[in-house]
Amino acid sequence: MKNIFRRTLLIGLLLSLAVPAARAAKGPRKSKKDEVVTISTSLGDIRLVLFAQTPLHKANFLKLAATGFYNGTTFHRVIPGFMIQGGNPNSKDAQPANEGQSPENEKTIPAEIRPELTHQRGAVAAARTPDFVNPERRSSASQFYIVQNPQGTPHLNGQYTVFGQVISGQEVVDKIAQQPTGAANRPVTDLRMTVKVEKMKKKKITERYGYQYDK
């Protein structure tokens, strides 16, 4: 009887050790939820998801959105057939001339350029300074752009970090890109945004917006 009890105890112990080991071998458990980012403008709403493959950019954007950083910033550069760009805190003031400039001593984010994340229509990517001053291709801490071109902008692949995708409201991106502009491709009328984040089940995101997650 004692031997049977010891064997049973030993088998139970081995199983208790094997289950965590098996889970570890499979890697971390994927979350069943994701964040949906909604960018609201006077022309409508744009909804995005951010990629798990670019964790630094995703965490940074969500943090800025949660603190209200983007509220009141504008899409300060729009080019039809190309992209719309926004998120510069300088765009909150009444001096349009400084909107294309990054704030002094702005922090940057290490590049997370991945070959599978391309500049397709609706791709969300981080703006940055040129290679000659930024050979590591580090990203701006806040400025981003959304690809408007129906064919995408493949010439930018491998050069900028793509970290998200529009899942709803691409027609709003098109409207923004078509707005009349002045110097430096700045819209004549301010296109201010507010940004909010909502946690949602991935299954619901797929059902509501048609976005497919990798399995």
Side-chain angles (χ1 to χ4, degrees), residues 16 20 28 31 33-34 44 62 66 86 92 95 121 124 135 137 155 172 180 206 214:
S16 68
S31 173
K33 292 187 176 182
D34 198 5
L62 292 176
K92 292 183 179 183
Q95 301 178 42
R121 177 168 168 84
V124 183
R137 296 178 171 172
H155 62 285
V172 178
T206 298
D214 293 333

Side-chain angles (χ1 to χ4, degrees), residues 107-129:
K107 72 168 187 174
T108 56
I109 306 170
E112 294 180 297
I113 299 171
R114 299 179 63 94
E116 73 273 21
L117 304 179
T118 61
H119 283 77
Q120 63 181 326
R121 177 168 168 84
V124 183
R128 66 173 179 84
T129 52

Side-chain angles (χ1 to χ4, degrees), residues 30-37 48-66 70 107 109-112 117 124-126 139-141 144 161-165 195 197-200 202 205 211 213:
K30 289 185 178 180
S31 173
K32 293 184 178 180
K33 292 187 176 182
D34 198 5
E35 291 86 1
V36 174
V37 177
L48 346 157
V49 292
L50 307 180
F51 297 140
Q53 300 100 305
T54 54
L56 299 179
H57 285 73
K58 180 173 184 174
N60 178 72
F61 193 99
L62 292 176
K63 179 181 178 181
L64 294 179
Y70 285 116
K107 72 168 187 174
I109 306 170
E112 294 180 297
L117 304 179
V124 183
S139 300
S140 162
F144 64 95
T161 296
V162 174
F163 66 96
Q165 178 66 38
V195 179
V197 179
E198 179 184 5
K199 197 96 168 180
M200 193 180 296
K202 290 180 178 178
I205 293 172
Y211 181 76
Y213 286 90

Side-chain angles (χ1 to χ4, degrees), residues 65-179:
T67 59
F69 174 92
Y70 285 116
N71 297 341
T73 62
T74 69
F75 283 104
H76 64 273
R77 182 173 175 242
V78 306
I79 304 175
F82 185 29
M83 59 89 221
I84 62 173
Q85 181 175 335
N88 188 341
N90 286 345
S91 66
K92 292 183 179 183
D93 62 28
Q95 301 178 42
N98 70 5
E99 291 180 356
Q101 306 167 9
S102 296
E104 289 187 19
N105 302 316
E106 180 189 41
K107 72 168 187 174
T108 56
I109 306 170
E112 294 180 297
I113 299 171
R114 299 179 63 94
E116 73 273 21
L117 304 179
T118 61
H119 283 77
Q120 63 181 326
R121 177 168 168 84
V124 183
R128 66 173 179 84
T129 52
D131 283 1
F132 70 89
V133 294
N134 179 23
E136 295 180 349
R137 296 178 171 172
R138 296 176 67 93
S139 300
S140 162
S142 63
Q143 292 193 57
F144 64 95
Y145 60 92
I146 302 175
V147 176
Q148 185 267 329
N149 192 315
Q151 282 72 51
T153 56
H155 62 285
L156 298 180
N157 290 342
Q159 299 184 54
Y160 296 79
T161 296
V162 174
F163 66 96
Q165 178 66 38
V166 172
I167 59 173
S168 174
Q170 185 65 35
E171 72 280 1
V172 178
V173 176
D174 294 339
K175 288 179 186 178
I176 293 173
Q178 296 296 333
Q179 293 305 296

